[in-house]
Amino acid sequence: MIKEETHNREPDVSVRQRLLSSAASLFNRKGYAATTVREIVTEAGVTKPVLYYYYQNKEGIYLELLREPFQKFDTLIDAARGERGSAKQRLLHLANQVLVLFLENIDVARVFYSIYYGPPQGAPFFDFDTYHLKFQDVMSRLVNDGLQSGEFRKANVEDIVWAILGIINVTIETKLRHLEIDLGRDGLSRVLNLLFQGIVADERKGVGERE
Amino acid sequence: MIKEETHNREPDVSVRQRLLSSAASLFNRKGYAATTVREIVTEAGVTKPVLYYYYQNKEGIYLELLREPFQKFDTLIDAARGERGSAKQRLLHLANQVLVLFLENIDVARVFYSIYYGPPQGAPFFDFDTYHLKFQDVMSRLVNDGLQSGEFRKANVEDIVWAILGIINVTIETKLRHLEIDLGRDGLSRVLNLLFQGIVADERKGVGERE
DNA sequence: GTCTATAGCTTGATAGAC
DNA sequence: GTCTATCAAGCTATAGAC
């Protein structure tokens, strides 16, 4: 073998793990359908039967890949209900945590995006909707708290949730695009504060900063 | 032939057009990589050489598919600069037009989404970024007008653009998901107005409606 | 312009040895 | 657990007839 290649061959990392991270990288770069089993095993530095030994098939490795990040997402959502502070603080904190989780798993996030908002690509079913709806539900509760306490002005709960969700999503999307421009954690907070404070100058008070 | 199939066989529509709409439908349902040339021609009710006659190959039909909607997007952006009215009105109008364009081309929109924010799927390069940046640029100008005239309170122009973009995107995303819930044109306007007015109750004025 | 037929390749998956 | 060897099925693309 002249060409040992740069591939995934550290002996201390388990073969299982190598397969998983190679698959993650390839699904992230090429998409589920366009990635072949051959590419995954070559990049992991193993042969094909090894993949079929550890995972049932390409679908199996895909599902295993999504499992952990979405488990963490679920935990994070559950934890959000127990937080203390103002509704605004709690919403900012939750949004920030979700952003961090996505950024830490940006390759899985890209695959999720392309399949959830795009065509299924022949990938097996994964119940993204349940997580998404649960996330919206928790945000609705937080928003409702803010409305009950008078912290927020009277408005449609769901509309507020959509606005926050849109801002979280656009922050993630700046990272998914292959450009240098991205908002990051600070950007997310800034834009969310913009939403909380509003954009229109209020004639009943001077133009400028409020806080 | 027992089974004539439900396929695309209206004789009055040109073969070219049939191929294009079959491809649109399949890319939309399965994604670029997972769709085969065979499926496209079968659904269009023609044979394979016909596709290679009208379009160079699968890549050619894909590029042709994107051309028209993005041409329209471009036209729409250019037109936005000439509009009259307040900055807020012009932004609402532009956002609404963009949403309508996406909804009218929802199948192309889904393919765009999955490739722009997701992995390239083996699809040929299409310069989505240029359109996206041009859209952001026009919005920045409109926001700037609002800041100059004192219509908007002092804030970062780009942040305002991101907030608006996030709300437009989330509206489109509600349509892309395979759930019944979606915001629609009215929802988009409502949520954008929320952004303009802000969410937090201002202690310096009574809680409640402003307009 | 549209067909039938097929070349030439890549795919996911496994049998069987060690 | 991991290998070599292999397979059937499916793929894009085209040649050549009409």
Side-chain angles (χ1 to χ4, degrees):
Chain A
M1 283 188 204
I2 306 294
K3 195 164 111 181
E4 178 60 19
E5 289 162 5
T6 42
H7 299 156
N8 219 334
R9 270 193 174 282
E10 308 100 285
D12 47 341
V13 182
S14 78
V15 172
R16 246 189 104 82
Q17 200 53 50
R18 290 219 306 270
L19 279 167
L20 208 59
S21 69
S22 295
S25 168
L26 278 159
F27 289 157
N28 172 54
R29 278 177 286 154
K30 312 187 54 175
Y32 178 81
T35 297
T36 69
V37 171
R38 250 200 257 286
E39 290 172 312
I40 298 172
V41 296
T42 302
E43 193 154 314
V46 297
T47 55
K48 240 188 293 183
V50 179
L51 183 145
Y52 289 94
Y53 175 78
Y54 285 105
Y55 304 93
Q56 201 180 26
N57 48 29
K58 195 167 103 172
E59 299 197 348
I61 205 167
Y62 161 84
L63 291 172
E64 181 63 21
L65 196 62
L66 297 176
R67 219 179 43 80
E68 195 187 293
F70 277 89
Q71 179 57 55
K72 284 187 184 167
F73 186 45
D74 196 59
T75 306
L76 196 152
I77 296 169
D78 285 335
R81 296 205 54 187
E83 296 285 336
R84 294 185 306 118
S86 69
K88 179 181 155 181
Q89 282 173 336
R90 290 156 76 196
L91 283 165
L92 281 170
H93 186 241
L94 175 59
N96 187 62
Q97 282 189 303
V98 168
L99 176 65
V100 169
L101 181 64
F102 269 79
L103 296 187
E104 280 172 355
N105 298 276
I106 192 71
D107 45 5
V108 173
R110 179 170 282 117
V111 174
F112 154 69
Y113 243 82
S114 79
I115 288 179
Y116 190 57
Y117 295 115
Q121 288 186 58
F125 178 76
F126 186 92
D127 192 7
F128 299 114
D129 279 326
T130 297
Y131 293 100
H132 202 288
L133 292 172
K134 188 171 174 181
F135 181 41
Q136 283 182 242
D137 184 61
V138 164
M139 286 206 293
S140 295
R141 289 165 193 272
L142 295 181
V143 168
N144 232 327
D145 289 351
L147 288 168
Q148 298 293 324
S149 69
E151 185 184 344
F152 297 157
R153 67 185 187 83
K154 213 171 114 195
N156 185 300
V157 177
E158 298 308 320
D159 286 347
I160 296 179
V161 171
W162 286 122
I164 297 170
L165 196 57
I167 291 169
I168 296 173
N169 279 7
V170 88
T171 308
I172 296 166
E173 286 154 14
T174 62
K175 260 292 179 199
L176 292 177
R177 301 185 311 164
H178 306 259
L179 294 170
E180 309 76 35
I181 315 151
D182 82 289
L183 276 164
R185 292 177 56 177
D186 293 344
L188 174 63
S189 297
R190 283 201 318 271
V191 180
L192 282 175
N193 270 303
L194 214 50
L195 170 67
F196 285 115
Q197 303 301 331
I199 288 172
V200 175
D202 195 329
E203 58 286 348
R204 276 168 289 190
K205 64 176 186 301
V207 174
E209 58 293 306
R210 274 171 171 176
E211 63 180 9
Chain B
M1 284 188 202
I2 307 293
K3 197 165 107 180
E4 178 60 20
E5 292 160 2
T6 41
H7 301 156
N8 218 336
R9 270 194 173 282
E10 306 99 285
D12 46 341
V13 182
S14 77
V15 173
R16 245 190 105 82
Q17 199 54 49
R18 288 217 310 271
L19 278 167
L20 207 59
S21 69
S22 294
S25 168
L26 278 159
F27 289 158
N28 172 53
R29 278 177 286 153
K30 313 186 54 177
Y32 178 82
T35 297
T36 69
V37 171
R38 246 201 262 283
E39 290 171 313
I40 298 171
V41 297
T42 303
E43 193 153 313
V46 296
T47 55
K48 240 185 296 179
V50 179
L51 183 145
Y52 289 96
Y53 175 78
Y54 285 106
Y55 304 95
Q56 200 181 25
N57 47 30
K58 196 167 99 170
E59 299 198 350
I61 205 167
Y62 163 83
L63 292 172
E64 181 63 20
L65 196 63
L66 297 177
R67 217 179 43 80
E68 195 186 294
F70 277 88
Q71 179 56 54
K72 283 186 186 168
F73 186 44
D74 196 57
T75 306
L76 197 152
I77 296 169
D78 285 334
R81 296 204 55 186
E83 295 285 337
R84 295 186 305 117
S86 69
K88 180 181 156 181
Q89 283 174 334
R90 290 156 75 197
L91 284 165
L92 281 171
H93 185 243
L94 175 59
N96 187 62
Q97 282 189 303
V98 168
L99 176 65
V100 168
L101 181 64
F102 269 79
L103 297 187
E104 281 172 354
N105 297 276
I106 192 70
D107 44 5
V108 173
R110 178 172 282 115
V111 174
F112 155 69
Y113 242 81
S114 80
I115 287 180
Y116 191 57
Y117 295 115
Q121 287 186 60
F125 178 75
F126 186 92
D127 192 7
F128 299 115
D129 279 325
T130 297
Y131 292 100
H132 202 287
L133 291 173
K134 187 171 176 180
F135 182 42
Q136 283 182 243
D137 184 60
V138 164
M139 284 206 294
S140 294
R141 288 166 193 271
L142 295 181
V143 168
N144 233 328
D145 289 350
L147 287 168
Q148 298 293 324
S149 69
E151 185 183 344
F152 297 158
R153 67 184 188 85
K154 211 171 114 197
N156 184 300
V157 177
E158 298 310 319
D159 286 349
I160 296 179
V161 171
W162 287 122
I164 297 171
L165 195 57
I167 292 169
I168 296 173
N169 279 7
V170 88
T171 309
I172 295 167
E173 285 154 15
T174 61
K175 261 293 179 198
L176 292 177
R177 301 185 311 163
H178 306 258
L179 293 171
E180 309 78 34
I181 316 151
D182 82 289
L183 276 164
R185 291 178 56 176
D186 292 346
L188 174 62
S189 297
R190 282 201 319 271
V191 180
L192 281 175
N193 270 302
L194 215 49
L195 170 66
F196 285 114
Q197 302 301 331
I199 289 171
V200 175
D202 196 328
E203 60 285 349
R204 277 167 287 191
K205 64 177 184 301
V207 173
E209 57 295 305
R210 275 174 172 173
E211 62 180 13

